[in-house]
Structures are given as C-alpha cells and as structure tokens.
Amino acid sequence: MNALYKILSLSACALLAFKLHTWPTHQAYARAKVELAQMRSESLNAQRMLEFAQSLPSHPVHLLGPDRALSDALDVVYAQASNHGIKIAQVIARDVPITQQVFATQSLRKEDAATSTLSQKLLVKATYIDLLGLRRYLKEVLSVDKGLVIHDLSIKGDAVELGLSIHSAQADSPTNTHISGAR
C-alpha cells in the first residue's frame, strides 16, 4: 500500500509539473491564434477597401505646389463656407501637437504612397444650418478637382468635423496628374 501511494503521488507530481510547464505555452498559443484571426479579418477588410478604391475611375487633377495648394485650400474653405450656411470655428493642422502654435508648413507634408503626391492634412471644425447646404459645400467646394479629399467626416447635431487632405505636386511648380480611385 505504501509503494502504491508513493507511485500515485509521484505520478500526480509529474502530471502537475508537466501541466505547469506546458500551460504558459498553451496560453501563448491560444492568444496567438486569436491575434492571427483578428489580423486575417483586418487584412480581408483592407483588401476589400483596396479593391473598391482601385475599381473607381482615375480622376484628372491639376495640382499646385505645396505652399500654394495649402493657401488656396484654406482660402476656399473659408471663403465659400458662408455661401453654404457653414460657420468655420477652427482649422487645426493634423500631425502637429495642439500646443505648438507656430510651425513650418513643411511639417504638414507627407508623401501619399497611393498617388505619389504630397498630402497635407487639416481638421476643420464647423457648424452648419442645414444638411443640403453642407452637402453642397462638401460636393462643390471641397472637390477632388482642386486636390482636396475628405478622409474623415463626423456630424453631431449641428456640428461637423471634417478631416481634409490637400494633395499637391512634389515640386513648387503646378503639374497635371491623375488620382486613381478618387472621386
């Protein structure tokens, strides 16, 4: 009986040691399996969005130099707003810390890999009177023809936040180009 008891206790200890040794590996495997499923789902969604963007027709655009494009875009955003019942509250440069009030406009420029153009991102905070005026403003004023692309739009009550990308030529001289998948 004593020998049987020792054999059972040693077997239980060996089983416990085996479980303690393999349990962290099993947990890491389970965690990796969940992360892989999430990454596959994100990859599928990105692939679908890319296929949709590629199916859109190419759109001819006359691009200005980076400084001129930014200046003209700000002029259009402010000048045409009141004609469509939009009141601009604030225009913020994306990718620049909000505490930094003065900065070089070169810090806004990032190359857009999809179009091989420079892109400068702004966030426009405004209020609007009616949805029809907002729709006209977004469609007529902030158009791809001028190198302006809306990448974020948030409407809450009568407030609107608009993420705007301003596309420009690589050099300071204007160029004609085609932006694929834009409309």
Side-chain angles (χ1 to χ4, degrees), residues 21-68:
H21 181 65
T22 60
W23 184 254
T25 307
H26 176 59
Q27 290 291 18
Y29 172 74
R31 201 170 27 254
K33 193 173 176 182
V34 168
E35 288 174 4
L36 179 64
Q38 288 174 340
M39 286 181 191
R40 281 185 181 157
S41 173
E42 290 172 6
S43 174
L44 255 156
N45 287 339
Q47 185 65 32
R48 274 190 242 128
M49 287 190 292
L50 181 62
E51 288 171 357
F52 176 75
Q54 289 173 339
S55 71
L56 295 172
S58 178
H59 196 84
V61 178
H62 179 74
L63 296 177
L64 301 171
D67 292 331
R68 178 78 189 269

Side-chain angles (χ1 to χ4, degrees), residues 21-154:
H21 181 65
T22 60
W23 184 254
T25 307
H26 176 59
Q27 290 291 18
Y29 172 74
R31 201 170 27 254
K33 193 173 176 182
V34 168
E35 288 174 4
L36 179 64
Q38 288 174 340
M39 286 181 191
R40 281 185 181 157
S41 173
E42 290 172 6
S43 174
L44 255 156
N45 287 339
Q47 185 65 32
R48 274 190 242 128
M49 287 190 292
L50 181 62
E51 288 171 357
F52 176 75
Q54 289 173 339
S55 71
L56 295 172
S58 178
H59 196 84
V61 178
H62 179 74
L63 296 177
L64 301 171
D67 292 331
R68 178 78 189 269
L70 180 63
S71 175
D72 284 2
L74 289 172
D75 185 41
V76 166
V77 165
Y78 277 105
Q80 296 295 319
S82 62
N83 296 344
H84 293 84
I86 309 293
K87 183 178 178 189
I88 305 288
Q90 189 176 26
V91 176
I92 303 169
R94 288 262 173 115
D95 305 327
V96 175
I98 197 151
T99 57
Q100 187 176 354
Q101 294 180 1
V102 178
F103 55 88
T105 57
Q106 287 89 353
S107 64
L108 294 176
R109 300 176 190 164
K110 300 221 181 335
E111 186 171 346
D112 187 348
T115 60
S116 298
T117 62
L118 290 179
S119 174
Q120 303 175 74
K121 293 189 177 185
L122 299 176
L123 178 66
V124 179
K125 294 183 179 186
T127 57
Y128 65 95
I129 295 173
D130 63 1
L131 283 174
L132 184 59
L134 177 63
R135 182 177 178 209
R136 285 187 186 138
Y137 180 71
L138 296 176
K139 188 174 183 179
E140 295 170 11
V141 177
L142 306 179
S143 67
V144 175
D145 299 339
K146 298 172 184 148
L148 303 175
V149 178
I150 299 168
H151 60 83
D152 288 334
L153 180 63
S154 173

